[in-house]
Amino acid sequence: MAIEVVDTTLGPVEGTLGERVHVFKGIPFAAPPVGPLRFKPPQPPAPWTEAKPVQEYGPAAPQPRDLVLEQMFGHAPFPTSEVSCLTLNVWTPHRGAENRPVMVWLHGGAFLTGSGRDPVFDGSRLASLHDVVVVTVNYRLGALGFLYLGELLGDEYASSGNVGLLDQIAALRWVRDNIAAFGGDPGNVTLFGQSAGAMSVLSLMAMPAAQGLFHKAIAQSGSAECTHTRERATAVARDVLAALALPEHEAHRLLELPVATLLYAQQSVVEVMRQRGDALGLPFAPVVDGPTLPRAPLEAFTSGAASPVPLIAGTTLEEGRLFLVGPESPNVDDAAVTALFDTEFDKPEEALEAFRGVQPDTSPMGLLAALMGERMFRAPTARLLEAHAARTSQVWTYLFSWRSSARGGQLGACHSLDLPFVFDNLHAGGADRFTGKDAPQRLADALSSAWASFAHHGHPGVPWPAFDTAHRATMVFDVTSRMVRDPWNGVRLLTDSSWRPPSCESDGCRGFLTCSSG
C-alpha cells in the first residue's frame, strides 16, 4: 500500500494512495471533548511532530443503535468514542492540479445518529470523476452535541446547545487552514448535507462564526425551522435530569456521568417525545441561544441576516415513506386518512385531491406518507427558497422522484434515497438493499455531476433555471431528468391558503403522528 504524507498546521499526516485518489481518514480537527470540555465548544487538538497515520476511519460520536437502519443496510453499528470522535476524512484526486473545489459533507441522522464514515459517503468516486476534494465530518450528537445547559449551569455553558454545530465550524476552519495542502481551494468550499445535515447547513448560514468559511451550500431534505428556543431546550434538559432521577441542583453531575448512562437518559427522552408526537422526535436540535445562533435560521433568511451564498435546496418525492417502514408501522385505512385530512385542512376533500395529483401511490399509506413529507420537508423547503430568492438570484431547487424497488417497492422515492446517487456509490455495501438491484447509473451520473458543477462553477451546469416565485423551476431527477414548472402547484396553493405546518418548536408534530426524522 503506497503512503502519502501531507503537512498540516498541526503536524504531518500519513494517508494512502489509492487507484484514483489519495485518502486520509480519521484526521483529528479538535481536542477530545471530554472531562472539562464536555458540553463545551471544541478546542484545537495538541499538535504533533511525527507523521500521524490516518488510514482508518475514526470512531463515530456516541449514539444509540439504529436497529431499523442496521437491518435495512445490513451494516454493523458504527464504533463510537466520546474521546476521539471529532475527526474528518479527505479524498483528493491524484496530484497534477491544485485549487480544486472542496465539498464538505455533513451527515444526517436526526442529530442523534450517523457518521462521516458511512460507506455511502465514501468520496472516492465523487472526487476522482469530478475533480473535487471531498471532506466528510463527524460532530457531536444528541445530548453531547445539543443539550442546552445555560439556564441550569450558567453562562459557562451558554453555547452547550450548539456545540455540535460548533464542531462543524471547527472542521470548516480546519479546511480553511489546511485544504490547500491536499490540493483544494479554501476560497471555493461547498457545504452540503442531508436531513439533519441539511438543517445544520442552514443553521450555519445563520451563524456569525461560520461566515466566510464556505461559499456555496446544498440542503437536501432539510428545514430552516427545526430549532428550539432556550426555554424549550431547557425543558428538554430538565427531562434528561428527570430520566436520570437527578434534581436540578445536581445538574453538574451531567459533566461526569458515563456516556452509556447519558445515552440511556437521552433515548428515554426521545422515546417519550416520539410517543406523544412532539417536536418530530427531535429533542436535540440547534438552539436559538443568542451568542452562537442569534435567531432561527428561517428568520435569518427572511430578514437578510443569513449568508447570501448560492444555494441548492430540494426534497425527494415521497420523503415520508421511510418513516412508515418497519415493525412499528401504523395501520392506516381510508377512514383514518380522511379523518386526518379533516383535522389538518379547512378543505379536506380538495386537499386529498391535490395530494393524489402529485403522488404515485394514492393508497392510504401513500397519502399519509405524502402528508408527512409535506409537513416535515417540502413546505419548509419552499419557505426557505422563497426567503433566500428574495435576497439572491442564485437559488435552485430539485425534486428526486426515482422510486426504489427494494422491500417490494415500499420505500418509493423516500427520504435519504438520493444519497447513494449524490456520492455515485450505488455499489457501496448495502446500498442495493435500499435502492433495489435496478438503480440507474445514469441518475447517479446526473445528480453527482450537477452537485460537482455547482461546486466548480456556482451553478448546476445543466439547463436548470434559477428558482423564482413566479415560475418555481424545478429539476426533477429520475431515470430521465427533466425541468418542470411548479410541480407542487396544487398542494402548494392549498397548503399556503388553508394550512401552515408548525415548525419543530414545541408543537412540531404534536397530535399529528408519532414519527422520527433522519
Side-chain angles (χ1 to χ4, degrees):
M1 180 173 60
I3 299 298
E4 173 79 1
V5 177
V6 172
D7 288 323
T8 75
T9 56
L10 295 166
V13 293
E14 186 178 84
T16 58
L17 176 59
E19 181 180 347
R20 298 185 300 268
V21 291
H22 303 271
V23 185
F24 304 82
K25 297 178 178 177
I27 303 175
F29 64 85
V34 296
L37 293 183
R38 180 182 275 186
F39 307 123
K40 292 284 191 70
Q43 298 300 309
W48 57 88
T49 56
E50 299 295 324
K52 179 187 288 292
V54 288
Q55 298 150 20
E56 302 291 337
Y57 287 117
Q63 58 191 268
R65 292 184 63 180
D66 192 329
L67 297 178
V68 172
L69 290 183
E70 286 176 26
Q71 180 186 32
M72 186 174 292
F73 290 103
H75 293 318
F78 299 125
T80 65
S81 169
E82 185 181 10
V83 174
S84 52
C85 63
L86 296 184
T87 63
L88 53 78
N89 315 297
V90 179
W91 292 263
T92 184
H94 288 172
R95 299 305 171 88
E98 304 298 327
N99 294 320
R100 292 182 170 96
V102 182
M103 300 182 70
V104 178
W105 173 253
L106 302 179
H107 69 78
F111 297 108
L112 293 172
T113 62
S115 172
R117 65 180 290 156
D118 190 307
V120 170
F121 307 149
D122 183 295
S124 298
R125 288 180 60 82
L126 190 57
S128 63
L129 296 178
H130 300 288
D131 199 35
V132 296
V133 178
V134 178
V135 179
T136 65
V137 177
N138 286 350
Y139 55 96
R140 280 174 282 181
L141 302 168
L144 291 169
F146 298 94
L147 181 64
Y148 177 66
L149 299 170
E151 305 299 323
L152 300 178
L153 294 181
D155 290 346
E156 188 179 355
Y157 292 90
S159 61
S160 61
N162 289 323
V163 294
L165 297 178
L166 296 178
D167 292 342
Q168 297 166 4
I169 291 175
L172 287 168
R173 287 175 176 153
W174 183 96
V175 168
R176 176 195 63 194
D177 297 340
N178 293 283
I179 207 66
F182 296 81
D185 180 358
N188 185 11
V189 175
T190 298
L191 186 63
F192 68 134
Q194 185 264 351
S195 198
M199 296 175 198
S200 296
V201 169
L202 300 172
S203 295
L204 293 183
M205 291 179 70
M207 294 178 70
Q211 303 308 297
L213 294 176
F214 58 97
H215 313 94
K216 300 161 207 152
I218 303 174
Q220 301 171 218
S221 303
S223 169
E225 301 169 33
C226 265
T227 57
H228 294 314
T229 62
R230 286 178 294 183
E231 293 75 17
R232 176 61 173 166
T234 299
V236 171
R238 290 192 172 106
D239 287 343
V240 171
L241 292 176
L244 293 165
L246 286 177
E248 284 189 30
H249 70 271
E250 294 187 19
H252 63 277
R253 291 182 57 189
L254 293 169
L255 308 178
E256 56 197 36
L257 288 175
V259 169
T261 302
L262 195 59
L263 285 179
Y264 170 80
Q266 166 187 307
Q267 202 60 15
S268 297
V269 172
V270 170
E271 291 306 319
V272 168
M273 295 183 78
R274 286 179 177 173
Q275 288 170 14
R276 69 186 185 218
D278 188 1
L280 297 181
L282 293 178
F284 304 101
V287 179
V288 182
D289 61 5
T292 59
L293 186 59
R295 62 188 81 190
L298 184 61
E299 181 185 341
F301 279 96
T302 302
S303 66
S307 176
V309 299
L311 173 69
I312 295 174
T315 67
T316 68
L317 176 62
E318 300 173 282
E319 297 274 5
R321 294 185 74 92
L322 182 65
F323 311 111
L324 298 176
V325 174
E328 299 181 2
S329 299
N331 292 319
V332 183
D333 58 17
D334 287 324
V337 169
T338 299
L340 179 59
F341 273 69
D342 285 342
T343 300
E344 295 292 317
F345 292 96
D346 293 338
K347 302 176 181 178
E349 292 183 1
E350 290 184 25
L352 277 167
E353 193 62 30
F355 276 89
R356 290 188 180 109
V358 297
Q359 292 300 313
D361 177 7
T362 57
S363 69
M365 189 67 76
L367 290 169
L368 173 60
L371 187 55
M372 287 179 65
E374 174 70 12
R375 167 170 281 192
M376 295 161 65
F377 301 106
R378 204 290 306 174
T381 296
R383 291 191 285 271
L384 163 70
L385 291 164
E386 291 163 4
H388 203 48
R391 303 288 172 176
T392 175
S393 62
Q394 295 179 292
V395 184
W396 294 265
T397 190
Y398 70 90
L399 180 67
F400 183 93
S401 66
W402 182 80
R403 306 187 79 234
S404 169
S405 63
R407 302 177 74 93
Q410 295 180 68
L411 294 173
C414 68
H415 189 66
S416 302
L417 184 61
D418 50 338
L419 296 180
F421 294 88
V422 165
F423 282 88
D424 196 356
N425 281 332
L426 298 181
H427 303 293
D432 63 353
R433 297 177 63 161
F434 193 39
T435 65
K437 301 290 187 182
D438 55 349
Q441 180 61 45
R442 65 187 293 185
L443 178 54
D445 295 340
L447 198 54
S448 61
S449 295
W451 270 215
S453 176
F454 184 65
H456 275 276
H457 309 296
H459 57 78
V462 294
W464 183 349
F467 173 89
D468 61 50
T469 55
H471 302 95
R472 298 178 183 268
T474 302
M475 177 60 72
V476 177
F477 283 106
D478 207 324
V479 175
T480 300
S481 298
R482 63 196 186 280
M483 184 60 54
V484 175
R485 178 173 173 173
D486 200 1
W488 290 93
N489 178 61
V491 169
R492 178 180 60 79
L493 293 177
L494 183 76
T495 56
D496 283 354
S497 62
S498 67
W499 173 68
R500 183 174 179 82
S503 71
C504 287
E505 200 35 77
S506 59
D507 290 327
C509 238
R510 187 173 292 152
F512 172 62
L513 183 72
T514 299
C515 61
S516 64
S517 176

